[in-house]
Amino acid sequence: LDISDLKRKSLLNYKPYTYGEQPDPNEKWIKLNTNENAYQPPQIVLDEIKAAVNEKLRLYPDPTCLELRKLLLSKYFVQYNEMIKLDNLIVANGSDEVIDILFKAFIDSGDIVVFFNPSYGMYPVVADLYGAKSQIIELTDRFEIPEGIDQVKGKMMIICSPNNPSGMSVPNSIIESICKKFPGLVVVDEAYEDFSSTTAISLISKYKNLAVMRTFSKGFCLASERIGILVANSQIVQFMMDVKLPYNVSYLSQVSANASLKHIEIFKEMHKEIIAERAKVTNGMRKLKLEVLPSDANFILVKLPSAEIAMKFFTECKVNKILIRQYNKKELLPYLRISIGKPEENVILLKVFQETAKKVMK
Ligand SMILES: Cc1ncc(COP(=O)(O)O)c(C=O)c1O
């Protein structure tokens, strides 16, 4: 028996997701390559998680994440209370799983799924897994959605805003014009919204085909606990609830997210700090005559004069135990994506960039 003969035929050309580099946890790195939150969860949140390590681990977790959804309404989406109700919310094991459940509920093999390039690398991977036809729309050289997008047809479109890797948000006027004409679901991935001032949430009540995703991995320092959410019309949410695995969000993940929302004020202050640090790092880079895209996220995209120079900066950072994100895609070769670190980490990063600039740029 050859096991490879047993593999699904539709997966013969499938290319799995490539993970961001994970350094040896026993070595001390400044890790700015995967847009995690640089800060540790607040002590009060950690204490609540620790206190929850008890006999309840024996039981299955709440399959509907009821307490978390209530807290989302009362603490996170307070200003939208008139339009978002409990049945407009679904929680999953990270927003990667939200994407997976969307496909499971709405995409048949052969359906057209539209997304943009460059954007988050998970969309084409999940599309391949479900046998969807990926229609990839190239962003302009300023990383903007091109004209004529409202003419595009498909079963689902995924818009990342702020976009990974540019950090730029998509204005609601564009999202609205797409929602009006697109004959399928319009999904806005707002993984980085906590560092931005633009959100499509207010459009949910106006467009029944719109769904907005959020995650606790970035704004709430909980990448490891895997909490992703989706806000949409209750019918969309119900279809997703019907196909998701029953116990997809662990008890400790729910406890972590609940505790974070109870202390949301601490996170709001943290977001302000990260935004201020983002401005400092951006200014520092611009002083070195480097182009930095205007970011609404917890990372920045820096353009170097050439792919070779980008590689030199990447290597020099690595030599100094700083991990940043470099790309192999042709159109991104001269770019480096850098997560915003803690203030002291950002100082070291800028110092390495200054010294490298002296060496490699005329
Ligand atoms: C745009 C975007 N969406 C979703 C995710 C995944 O988030 P989660 O950790 O909630 O699965 C990421 C992670 O980097 C991302 O960049």
Side-chain angles (χ1 to χ4, degrees), residues 47-67:
D47 290 344
E48 287 190 35
I49 301 171
K50 281 182 201 159
V53 179
N54 56 34
E55 65 87 29
K56 284 211 181 117
L57 290 175
R58 173 176 73 78
L59 303 169
Y60 285 111
D62 174 3
T64 70
C65 296
L66 182 60
E67 191 184 345

Side-chain angles (χ1 to χ4, degrees), residues 34 94-96 120 123 160 164 189 191-192 215 217-218 226-227:
T34 50
S95 44
D96 283 345
Y120 181 42
Y123 312 142
C160 188
N164 175 5
D189 181 350
Y192 299 97
T215 177
S217 295
K218 318 293 178 180
R226 315 301 303 127
I227 293 281

Side-chain angles (χ1 to χ4, degrees), residues 23-37:
D24 184 336
N26 299 315
E27 291 178 13
K28 197 170 171 335
W29 283 85
I30 297 181
K31 190 171 178 301
L32 307 179
N33 67 330
T34 50
N35 302 339
E36 287 136 332
N37 194 312

Side-chain angles (χ1 to χ4, degrees), residues 92-273:
N93 188 26
S95 44
D96 283 345
E97 198 201 24
V98 174
I99 302 170
D100 186 69
I101 300 172
L102 275 166
F103 274 77
K104 232 194 230 183
F106 292 100
I107 300 302
D108 280 315
S109 168
D111 281 345
I112 294 176
V113 177
V114 183
F115 41 81
F116 298 86
N117 183 57
S119 195
Y120 181 42
M122 198 63 190
Y123 312 142
V125 173
V126 182
D128 271 3
L129 261 181
Y130 285 87
K133 278 198 195 120
S134 295
Q135 182 172 343
I136 301 171
I137 309 238
E138 295 297 323
L139 295 174
T140 67
D141 52 8
R142 299 300 306 157
F143 295 99
E144 285 165 345
I145 291 187
E147 303 252 325
I149 189 65
D150 50 1
Q151 303 304 316
V152 173
K153 306 270 181 282
K155 186 79 169 288
M156 180 155 84
M157 180 187 290
I158 311 181
I159 303 168
C160 188
S161 176
N163 191 24
N164 175 5
S166 70
M168 287 160 56
S169 297
V170 178
N172 272 358
S173 55
I174 297 187
I175 292 176
E176 275 208 83
S177 68
I178 295 171
C179 287
K180 279 183 195 153
K181 298 249 186 84
F182 191 70
L185 279 190
V186 178
V187 180
V188 183
D189 181 350
E190 293 191 349
Y192 299 97
E193 199 281 333
D194 297 307
F195 312 100
S196 152
S197 49
T198 308
T199 170
I201 293 275
S202 64
L203 303 177
I204 295 270
S205 55
K206 222 166 150 188
Y207 301 100
K208 64 179 179 198
N209 59 339
L210 176 65
V212 177
M213 287 163 46
R214 296 274 177 93
T215 177
F216 277 55
S217 295
K218 318 293 178 180
F220 290 94
C221 325
L222 285 180
S224 155
E225 288 289 352
R226 315 301 303 127
I227 293 281
I229 56 183
L230 177 130
V231 192
N233 174 288
S234 57
Q235 238 184 331
I236 295 179
V237 168
Q238 189 57 53
F239 289 156
M240 294 173 70
M241 285 298 288
D242 291 345
V243 298
K244 80 169 184 72
L245 296 177
Y247 307 111
N248 56 330
V249 183
S250 84
Y251 160 65
L252 284 180
S253 301
Q254 295 186 40
V255 166
S256 312
N258 294 348
S260 302
L261 288 173
K262 283 181 203 150
H263 303 288
I264 195 164
E265 297 311 323
I266 305 177
F267 291 95
K268 286 188 180 161
E269 286 310 306
M270 179 196 287
H271 300 156
K272 282 188 203 149
E273 262 179 56

